Amino acid sequence: MAVFEPNSIRLDRRHWRLGMRSALKWMKKPVSEEGATQVARVFAALNGQQILREVDTLRRHPVGQQLLRDKPDLASAISADHLVGMPEGSFGALYYQQCCQDDTLPGYLLGGLIYRDGFFDALDIDEDTRWYIERLSFNHDATHIISDYKNDLAAEALNIMFNLGHQQSVPRARRFLNPFGLICLFSRTTVGWARWRRELTMAYDRGAAAAQTFPQCCIPWEELMPKPITEVREFLGISPLPAGWDTSDWCLKDPYADMSADQKDEDAERVALVDGAVRAGFNWREYMRADAEHREHFVEQLRQGAGYEQARSVLA
């Protein structure tokens, strides 16, 4: 059952109650499904006007205009089936390597969280904005690759700061005065607070400098996939990290340490079943829009050997 009423959220207004409630949920469990579900809600509720400005930039920028005409599906472009066979050293090949890592979810299971509880359908927006917001929800892993910050906890925080400068254009003086900046700043690391603050600021500065070269909202991710990653970063104005840059031991806590082996196996089975249905032609949006009970019924049907056409009947 949807929590949000259709067309109840306008981006030209701030929805403080929703934004702060979602921000607190995210800050409590940032590396979790519940936490990840809150990210788009925070942006839409508290930063909706910025999203509208980005859509306006798309409408004025020559590359953005082409994107709005074509409205490419980024979810399809970043699927493993599409990325396999990309040239060695290319943006797409690096993306494919990331897709194949253990514990990496198909993009739609992360980006598609925007559909949970009827949230996406509650946005009172035009078709250009609707396309752009869904696209935004799928660019997280792509920003990791262009920024060159990996997937450990410290790198996640650095990539958030990079994006605050690159995509969100948060003023430098307020880079830490928002839910995302705050949780990055007060993350526990092994490098000491002073250095950590400097590293976060440098990540922000890298993103902000790149934004002056090419706006993130207009990046043609699909066209860049076959190109060498060095060429992509140069095109986007992203300065390289120092050789041998490694943050893997900067944060001590494993975000999955509290998950039992049985839970990991159960989650992996669920992902494999749903992904098999999607590869066979099932529209992942139907699954992501459904509530937890109906999603579980759907997975159980697949587990028992039903085809996705039969299993999808339980989502209605």
Side-chain angles (χ1 to χ4, degrees), residues 32 34 36 57 84 87 148 165 182 204 228 237 308:
S32 68
E34 181 184 4
T57 298
V84 65
D148 206 17
L182 281 172
Y204 168 90
Y308 79 85

Side-chain angles (χ1 to χ4, degrees), residues 11 49-61 64 68 126-133 217-218:
L11 298 186
Q49 294 179 15
Q50 171 67 25
I51 294 173
L52 294 176
R53 285 193 293 270
E54 289 164 13
V55 174
D56 185 59
T57 298
L58 279 161
R59 289 169 174 158
R60 291 183 286 105
H61 193 283
L68 288 177
D126 59 39
E127 287 307 306
D128 285 349
T129 307
R130 187 168 298 279
W131 169 82
Y132 176 61
I133 292 177
C217 61
C218 297

Side-chain angles (χ1 to χ4, degrees), residues 48-122:
Q49 294 179 15
Q50 171 67 25
I51 294 173
L52 294 176
R53 285 193 293 270
E54 289 164 13
V55 174
D56 185 59
T57 298
L58 279 161
R59 289 169 174 158
R60 291 183 286 105
H61 193 283
V63 177
Q65 290 170 358
Q66 186 64 50
L67 286 171
L68 288 177
R69 282 194 295 270
D70 297 342
K71 291 185 170 58
D73 183 2
L74 186 56
S76 297
I78 63 174
S79 67
D81 289 345
H82 178 77
L83 295 173
V84 65
M86 284 282 177
E88 185 177 356
S90 68
F91 179 25
L94 290 174
Y95 210 124
Y96 180 72
Q97 291 173 18
Q98 186 161 296
C99 289
C100 295
Q101 291 178 1
D102 292 340
D103 299 324
T104 297
L105 295 174
Y108 58 84
L109 288 180
L110 180 63
L113 291 172
I114 196 171
Y115 284 96
R116 288 286 169 82
D117 305 323
F119 173 74
F120 195 52
D121 298 313

Side-chain angles (χ1 to χ4, degrees), residues 7-24:
N7 301 317
S8 61
I9 301 173
R10 291 180 50 172
L11 298 186
D12 58 351
R13 301 175 180 173
R14 279 196 170 92
H15 304 267
W16 291 104
R17 188 173 182 180
L18 169 62
M20 296 309 296
R21 183 172 67 242
S22 299
L24 289 171

Side-chain angles (χ1 to χ4, degrees), residues 232-254:
V232 170
R233 290 181 182 134
E234 183 177 357
F235 171 70
L236 298 176
I238 298 172
S239 59
L241 290 172
W245 179 265
D246 182 15
T247 59
S248 59
D249 61 352
W250 286 17
C251 285
L252 298 177
K253 182 174 174 58
D254 178 355

Side-chain angles (χ1 to χ4, degrees), residues 161-183:
M161 295 304 299
F162 174 87
N163 280 310
L164 287 177
H166 194 210
Q167 188 252 322
Q168 290 296 311
S169 301
V170 172
R172 193 174 192 272
R174 291 174 21 213
R175 63 194 181 280
F176 297 124
L177 300 179
N178 59 80
F180 303 103
L182 281 172
I183 200 168

